[in-house]
């Protein structure tokens, strides 16, 4: 469910960064890290049985994604 919730928001943030012509090595690293965290969250969800530890690991990957999105929005706001 959060794939449906997060990816459109991430796409809108990337669209905003593109329209504002904001590009940097940091933003590139954040974008790659976001995608890797998304992949890791999905793999953790699909490949392992639900346990408290796996839920915590999945949440950590999710939290990384949320933090990156806030950082990218902050880059747009405080450019």
């Amino acid at each position: 469910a959060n794939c449906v919730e997060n990816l459109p928001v991430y796409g809108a943030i990337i669209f905003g960064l593109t329209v504002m012509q904001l590009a940097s090595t940091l933003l590139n690293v954040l974008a790659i890290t976001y995608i890797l965290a998304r992949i890791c969250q999905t793999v953790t969800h699909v490949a392992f049985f639900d346990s408290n530890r796996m839920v915590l690991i999945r949440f950590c990957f999710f939290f990384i994604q949320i933090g990156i999105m806030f950082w990218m929005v902050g880059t747009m706001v405080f450019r």
Side-chain angles (χ1 to χ4, degrees), residues 6-62:
N6 286 346
L7 290 179
V9 173
Y10 177 72
I13 292 169
I14 297 301
F15 179 76
L17 289 168
T18 303
V19 167
M20 296 176 75
Q21 297 180 348
L22 295 175
S24 70
T25 303
L26 175 62
L27 288 172
N28 291 341
V29 170
L30 288 173
I32 291 167
T33 305
Y34 178 92
I35 296 300
L36 290 175
R38 179 71 232 173
I39 290 168
C40 290
Q41 180 188 1
T42 301
V43 168
T44 305
H45 184 71
V46 172
F48 298 99
F49 292 108
D50 278 342
S51 68
N52 288 340
R53 178 173 286 173
M54 287 298 114
V55 171
L56 177 63
I57 291 170
R58 268 197 339 253
F59 176 75
C60 288
F61 290 130
F62 174 75

